Amino acid sequence: MSRLFRHVEPGRTIVFGPGALAASTDLLGAGYTLLSTARALASQSDLARGAARTFEVPAGPVDEVAARLRATVKGERVVAFGGGRVIDVAKALAAADPPRDVIAIPTSLSGAEMTGVHKHASGVDPRTPRVRAAVVINDPELSASQPTADLAASTGNALAHAVTAIYSKRATPFSAAVGREAVARLERSWASTEVDTEEVALGALLCGWAVDHSGLGPHHALAQTAVATGHIPHAQANAALLPQTIAALRTRRTDAPPELTAAERLASRLQATASATLAPLVEDDATLHTAVATAADRPEMTRFDPPLTADEIEAIYRAAGRGSAQQSIRGI
């Protein structure tokens, strides 16, 4: 079991553990601007009572939603209470109109609260510096509160962060060390029939820290392209793809590191538990070929050595589209 702790590093304070939200009133203060969803707020009405203004984040792409909210969202402190999309919208708004601090309270394992990765609001100069949350409040009762299938998909998303942090060409000894610890925690969290929510939440937090220090890799280029082209939910795309991208990575290694074996085994279990598939992407050849061409052109592909080829990308997508972790790309 995890204990409640507060970790302070340059530019960021992280509070993690049971009761993290109740223990962070000094970081929240009062009079903040709150971004959330109706479903999230139903579980934490006190957050809305402490806010000067509350905005519901509508469905839609982050860049478009942030652009729509930009004219009305005010305040120097923006609290983002929700999943990765809500947090990314808050980061986009902070980047568009600084100075503005983001306080992230995640309700999924997306890792968005830990990274400086996000789309800019439409109309914002793409050279504008991106933003990380200044405060992260991660209570496992919130971040790991999803139903089992959704939690499995969200864990797959987190696990992909750890694998990238360990094996990307841009990985460092620091990102790799934290990534290995994260893989071990995620594996332990799913070791029994009942998920250890504190362990899975801490593992996912470490995954987010690690990938923020390594940068994204080929897996994320494939997943993001599948989301945009096939209109597949983000976590589902990650969970469907991960067994295949790990298999592709294994073909590029002469050894069999234990953490890669553990990650591959867990990825297969998560894919099956989430019933994750890219079927909508591969059912239409034109859509699939568009996704392959788009993904092949992304710079993240160079972070495997050698880079993924178009044929490999298509094979990965088709295998993930069958929704079976047993259908791997070994031997292509």
Side-chain angles (χ1 to χ4, degrees), residues 92-110:
L93 290 170
D97 297 299
R100 178 178 278 171
D101 285 337
V102 174
I103 301 172
I105 308 172
T107 59
S108 74
L109 307 179
S110 76

Side-chain angles (χ1 to χ4, degrees), residues 64-88:
E64 296 176 10
V65 171
R68 292 205 301 272
L69 290 175
R70 187 178 175 187
T72 54
V73 172
K74 307 296 181 183
E76 295 181 356
R77 285 180 303 134
V78 177
V79 173
F81 176 49
R85 192 174 60 85
V86 172
I87 295 171
D88 280 349

Side-chain angles (χ1 to χ4, degrees), residues 301-321:
M301 286 303 155
T302 64
R303 297 172 193 168
F304 268 8
D305 189 16
L308 289 174
T309 67
D311 286 345
E312 285 181 296
I313 293 170
E314 182 173 345
I316 288 171
Y317 277 148
R318 288 191 182 279

Side-chain angles (χ1 to χ4, degrees), residues 153-237:
S154 197
T155 305
N157 183 20
L159 182 61
H161 292 156
V163 172
T164 297
I166 298 169
Y167 296 110
S168 168
K169 287 173 67 175
R170 296 176 63 185
T172 70
F174 296 101
S175 71
V178 175
R180 291 187 183 97
E181 173 70 11
V183 170
R185 287 185 177 275
L186 293 183
E187 185 181 30
R188 287 198 298 270
S189 71
W190 284 87
S192 65
T193 54
E194 185 173 346
V195 181
D196 184 334
T197 54
E198 291 181 29
E199 190 80 337
V200 78
L202 182 54
L205 184 147
L206 294 175
C207 290
W209 188 98
V211 80
D212 191 45
H213 288 74
S214 71
L216 301 181
H219 170 90
H220 299 93
L222 292 171
Q224 290 169 3
T225 301
V227 170
T229 308
H231 305 291
I232 297 165
H234 180 79
Q236 285 281 323

Side-chain angles (χ1 to χ4, degrees), residues 35-50:
L35 300 184
S36 190
T37 63
R39 184 172 62 178
L41 286 174
S43 67
Q44 291 291 329
S45 56
D46 286 350
L47 274 175
R49 282 194 286 270

Side-chain angles (χ1 to χ4, degrees), residues 6-15 24 26-28 76-80 87 90-92 94-95 99-106 111-116 118 130-138 209 212:
R6 182 173 292 200
H7 172 81
V8 180
E9 57 189 28
R12 178 165 60 190
T13 298
I14 302 166
V15 185
S24 302
D26 61 314
L27 298 174
L28 282 172
E76 295 181 356
R77 285 180 303 134
V78 177
V79 173
I87 295 171
K91 293 190 294 187
R100 178 178 278 171
D101 285 337
V102 174
I103 301 172
I105 308 172
E113 73 279 5
M114 296 299 295
T115 75
H118 61 85
R130 286 172 169 77
V131 168
R132 290 175 176 81
V135 175
V136 175
I137 302 171
N138 190 319
W209 188 98
D212 191 45

